[in-house]
Amino acid sequence: MRVRTATPRVGVTRWLIAMVCLVAAVAAPRAAAQPAGAAPVVTVTGGSIRGLHSDGIVEYLGVPFAAPAMGENRFAPPLPPAPWTGVRSAVTHGPQCPQSSPVPGLALQESSEDCLSIDIYVPPNSADVALPVMVWFYGGAFVLGSNAQYDSPSRLVRDGKVIVAVPNYRVGPFGFLALPELADSAGGITGTYGLLDQQAALRWIQDNARAFGGDPGNVTIFGESAGGMSVCSQIASPLTRGLFSRAIIESGSCARSPLAPPSKERAYQQSADYAAGLGCGEVPTRLQCLRALPIDRLLSSPTTQLNSMAVTWSPVQDGVVVTSSPEQALASGAARDMPLIIGSNADEGATFIALLDYARATIPTAADYLGWARELFGDNSTQVLARYPVTGFATPAAAKERVITDGFFACPAQFTAEAARRGGAQVWQYRFNDAPLGRNPLLPGAFHGAEVPYVFSGLMGVPIPLPPAADRLSRGIQQSWAQFAHTGDPVTTDFTPWPAAPGITLELGGDRITTADSFARDHHCDLWSGISHIG
């Protein structure tokens, strides 16, 4: 049965839209803060830029790190930006990369294929000492997202004495279209353009960190959901050696998971089907045909929408940019001697129930849950339903939420940590347990994306007010992440003890912070170790 839900209050709607990694910036970019004092000017690749003072830090927004990816540069590796003359104003975000709106009817941030820009946030007096640089990759299921969502790192930057940089990267087919003719024309590269955008940004950081008072030899990459998976892919890529030395993976897996990217052959087929659906099915001319289509036509396919848990667009193991699966790379030593923080949230699945059920005015019934599990997991559904029987939960939605939490996020995080340790990495693992919306039935618990405003103190330029206990936890996370960037060790006075030991998680709650050794048991990871694909 389909049940019409009540319209959620505005505050909850904003959280549902703004907090989840799967949602792009659906509000107009904030107006630039008014500069205080002399506007700073620095010289970077391409020319001089003028930033602005805001909230006790200095911001440089919308700085090009690569050329527009349009025309013959569409579905191609990024090229260097064109130089400019004079002093370029860097006080507003650049356009987001082309993507479909996650919420029909709401205005999107301006979109353009001239989107490869980076935002840099710098603490005061940074020129006196070389500071660590933290580079954030946004989430969004590889089909949504922009750096304008994450423009509230002031406290992390100011108190942590770190530079935070947030680049845009191409998403959807623009970032991950994979076809044999693309590989033939680019030395084997295909389906990894979004990753190459991230790498271009990391190289830009190497070339320009000192202009902002940063240390190019001390770069930490971090990200959430698809951003965390991007971190995994960059660790696995042989092209990133020397571009970063530490990594934080929030709710994004490097390991076997039902969300694992498709094989190259399957990616080729998906991309061919996508092209055919747009009228570009003739192999000799389809690339030319796709490059000639307008952006809105390329976004008209259902594959560019967030419609299910299935992965449509994601990085491909093309043999050049990514030469092995991230899990294999970790186990083989890709992060040997590299400090890592790996974590997940206690109730990840709540976000997907909200987006894929409640937002469509449906509440899962027992029959819905059984059908969903059988369709999604195929031959593995009997095992899944035996471990997660609908009768074992208060509601079918609760059963579905737990399956998503355990199978798609918690256990893949556990497997990621295990692989990294086998390869010689030092790993600190956490589980985020705080419930920023309390018992709200629409988005309860520590849902997917709930920890992001604890790191950034807000989203889309909107401060997210947290109750006192949650704000203390936010300060603790920011202090730990910043110390990790400085030293490679996240253990602080508030986050202690936190051993980098197998099976131990730091439990991050607003009411208390403690350690536990029950993570794998709590999330049934013995079951999920044998389930690595959908269908």
Side-chain angles (χ1 to χ4, degrees):
M1 139 176 105
R2 302 248 176 215
V3 181
R4 184 70 57 181
T5 59
T7 301
R9 62 187 177 88
V10 172
V12 173
T13 302
R14 173 170 288 184
W15 269 80
L16 177 59
I17 294 171
M19 292 209 22
V20 188
C21 77
L22 296 177
V23 179
V26 296
R30 65 185 174 94
Q34 293 300 312
V41 175
V42 298
T43 299
V44 297
T45 301
S48 296
I49 57 173
R50 185 186 306 276
L52 70 147
H53 295 276
S54 176
D55 199 18
I57 65 172
V58 182
E59 301 179 351
Y60 303 87
L61 307 178
V63 183
F65 69 84
M70 59 182 64
E72 290 301 308
N73 293 335
R74 181 187 281 177
F75 317 127
L79 298 174
W84 57 88
T85 59
V87 178
R88 181 188 181 106
S89 176
V91 299
T92 57
H93 300 291
Q96 69 181 12
C97 294
Q99 57 197 263
S100 298
S101 171
V103 183
L106 289 181
L108 283 169
Q109 177 193 356
E110 178 190 359
S111 295
S112 170
E113 287 183 281
D114 186 5
C115 63
L116 298 181
S117 66
I118 189 167
D119 297 339
I120 307 99
Y121 302 89
V122 184
N125 304 319
S126 62
D128 296 337
V129 60
L131 297 178
V133 182
M134 302 184 72
V135 181
W136 174 263
F137 300 138
Y138 49 74
F142 293 115
V143 296
L144 303 170
S146 80
N147 56 14
Q149 293 171 254
Y150 303 96
D151 61 355
S152 303
S154 298
R155 192 167 70 184
L156 171 63
V157 170
R158 186 179 58 247
D159 296 352
K161 293 181 171 46
V162 296
I163 295 171
V164 171
V166 189
N168 275 339
Y169 63 91
R170 284 171 285 178
V171 295
F174 297 89
F176 303 103
L177 186 79
L179 291 170
E181 58 266 37
L182 286 168
D184 292 342
S185 65
I189 293 172
T190 187
T192 50
Y193 311 114
L195 293 184
L196 287 170
D197 295 342
Q198 295 169 359
Q199 292 179 5
L202 289 172
R203 292 189 179 90
W204 189 93
I205 290 292
Q206 289 296 306
D207 294 337
N208 296 285
R210 288 187 178 89
F212 304 99
D215 180 0
N218 186 2
V219 174
T220 297
I221 60 174
F222 67 140
E224 184 263 348
S225 194
M229 295 171 71
S230 295
V231 171
C232 296
S233 294
Q234 298 302 354
I235 292 173
S237 176
L239 307 183
T240 61
R241 302 298 177 256
L243 298 182
F244 59 90
S245 54
R246 293 163 190 151
I248 302 172
I249 302 164
E250 302 178 21
S251 300
S253 171
C254 301
R256 55 195 179 279
S257 161
L259 286 176
S263 66
K264 184 162 68 172
E265 291 69 27
R266 185 178 173 191
Y268 279 169
Q269 187 60 57
Q270 289 177 345
S271 294
D273 292 343
Y274 165 77
L278 295 176
C280 298
E282 297 296 325
V283 174
T285 60
R286 66 182 169 187
L287 184 54
Q288 179 182 2
C289 178
L290 289 169
R291 283 177 169 158
L293 289 178
I295 291 173
D296 59 354
R297 184 79 177 94
L298 290 168
L299 293 175
S300 64
S301 168
T303 65
T304 63
Q305 316 288 323
L306 175 63
N307 293 316
S308 71
M309 294 299 297
V311 173
T312 303
W313 301 107
S314 61
V316 176
Q317 186 177 318
D318 61 1
V320 180
V321 180
V322 180
T323 55
S324 67
S325 74
E327 183 175 16
Q328 291 170 333
L330 282 174
S332 299
R336 189 178 308 279
D337 301 322
M338 179 183 293
L340 302 176
I341 297 175
I342 297 171
S344 62
N345 297 354
D347 307 288
E348 304 267 10
T351 293
F352 300 90
I353 305 300
L355 284 174
L356 302 177
D357 289 304
Y358 298 159
R360 298 177 183 182
T362 64
I363 296 176
T365 65
D368 292 334
Y369 169 63
L370 295 175
W372 170 81
R374 288 168 180 151
E375 180 180 2
L376 196 64
F377 298 108
D379 293 342
N380 294 312
S381 62
T382 300
Q383 302 174 63
V384 172
L385 291 170
R387 193 71 66 96
Y388 300 87
V390 69
T391 55
F393 296 86
T395 65
K400 186 175 180 180
E401 184 276 321
R402 192 46 38 188
V403 169
I404 295 171
T405 294
D406 293 357
F408 289 72
F409 296 97
C411 293
Q414 176 74 13
F415 304 148
T416 297
E418 291 171 355
R421 288 191 175 101
R422 288 198 303 273
Q426 190 174 25
V427 180
W428 288 268
Q429 189 173 353
Y430 73 84
R431 176 166 52 186
F432 180 84
N433 297 315
D434 208 27
L437 291 181
R439 301 185 182 213
N440 182 282
L442 179 65
L443 208 52
F447 52 86
H448 185 64
E451 91 290 356
V452 175
Y454 288 65
V455 177
F456 280 86
S457 302
L459 288 176
M460 294 191 296
V462 179
I464 303 294
L466 297 171
D471 188 63
R472 286 194 297 272
L473 177 59
S474 172
R475 289 179 181 274
I477 291 172
Q478 291 171 355
Q479 180 186 27
S480 176
W481 273 213
Q483 178 170 296
F484 180 76
H486 279 275
T487 68
D489 185 344
V491 179
T492 63
T493 302
D494 290 337
F495 287 5
T496 188
W498 186 6
I504 304 297
T505 54
L506 186 69
E507 302 292 309
L508 299 176
D511 54 345
R512 66 176 186 150
I513 297 170
T514 185
T515 56
D517 61 2
S518 59
F519 186 91
R521 183 171 63 254
D522 294 344
H523 295 287
H524 303 287
C525 293
D526 60 321
L527 167 70
W528 295 105
S529 65
I531 299 176
S532 60
H533 65 280
I534 293 177

